């Protein structure tokens, strides 16, 4: 069974490796939507895979590092594409959430990525 919890952050960034003149090379911001997915068996007694509060608690320190920040200034996010952000979040969460199965990052209503680990 797979469950997920969704989070929202506000952050600025620019993409330093895109060509000059590309709109994403300029500083801009997004209302990022982030989903954290966990996959595992349903506990017979509790009736759930995991308490959603555990996912929230695991995400809180990650959120503190990236919410209302310029992502380029966060160590490891010097090129903060959605793909790199999803991989970075995964690296922070997997020690706390060993059942982590997916991190989804949406930077707009219509654009985002899904990371399922290496």
């Amino acid at each position: 069974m797979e469950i997920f919890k969704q989070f929202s952050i506000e952050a600025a960034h620019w993409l330093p490796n895109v060509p000059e003149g590309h709109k994403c090379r300029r500083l801009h911001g997004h209302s990022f939507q982030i989903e954290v997915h966990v996959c595992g068996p349903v506990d017979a007694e509790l009736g759930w895979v995991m308490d959603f509060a555990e996912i929230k608690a695991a995400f809180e320190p990650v959120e503190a590092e990236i919410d209302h920040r310029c992502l380029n200034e966060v160590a490891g996010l010097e090129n903060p594409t959605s793909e790199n952000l999803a991989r970075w979040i995964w690296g922070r969460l997997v020690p706390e959430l060993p059942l982590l199965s997916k991190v989804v990052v949406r930077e707009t209503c219509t654009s985002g990525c899904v990371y399922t680990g290496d």
Side-chain angles (χ1 to χ4, degrees):
M1 179 80 62
E2 186 170 21
I3 64 169
F4 69 93
K5 185 140 182 74
Q6 186 169 326
F7 303 91
S8 297
I9 65 154
E10 306 292 332
H13 73 157
W14 75 91
L15 301 183
N17 298 338
V18 298
E20 287 290 338
H22 191 289
K23 67 180 182 176
C24 293
R25 191 165 176 120
R26 294 188 303 270
L27 180 64
H28 63 283
H30 292 288
S31 298
F32 289 94
Q33 299 297 311
I34 299 165
E35 291 178 14
V36 176
H37 291 245
V38 173
C39 192
V42 176
D43 183 279
E45 185 176 332
L46 295 173
W48 63 28
V49 173
M50 171 182 276
D51 188 340
F52 288 114
E54 291 179 62
I55 299 171
K56 181 179 179 185
F59 190 76
E60 284 176 347
V62 174
E63 183 176 27
E65 284 189 79
I66 58 177
D67 189 35
H68 284 82
R69 307 280 182 180
C70 179
L71 297 179
N72 301 73
E73 297 172 357
V74 175
L77 288 175
E78 293 79 13
N79 182 28
T81 62
S82 290
E83 294 88 342
N84 287 337
L85 179 57
R87 185 181 297 124
W88 184 90
I89 291 168
W90 177 283
R92 297 286 188 288
L93 290 179
V94 77
E96 301 298 317
L97 297 173
L99 298 177
L100 185 64
S101 60
K102 186 186 314 179
V103 173
V104 179
V105 173
R106 288 184 180 86
E107 62 179 64
T108 70
C109 304
T110 60
S111 301
C113 74
V114 178
Y115 184 66
T116 57
D118 289 326

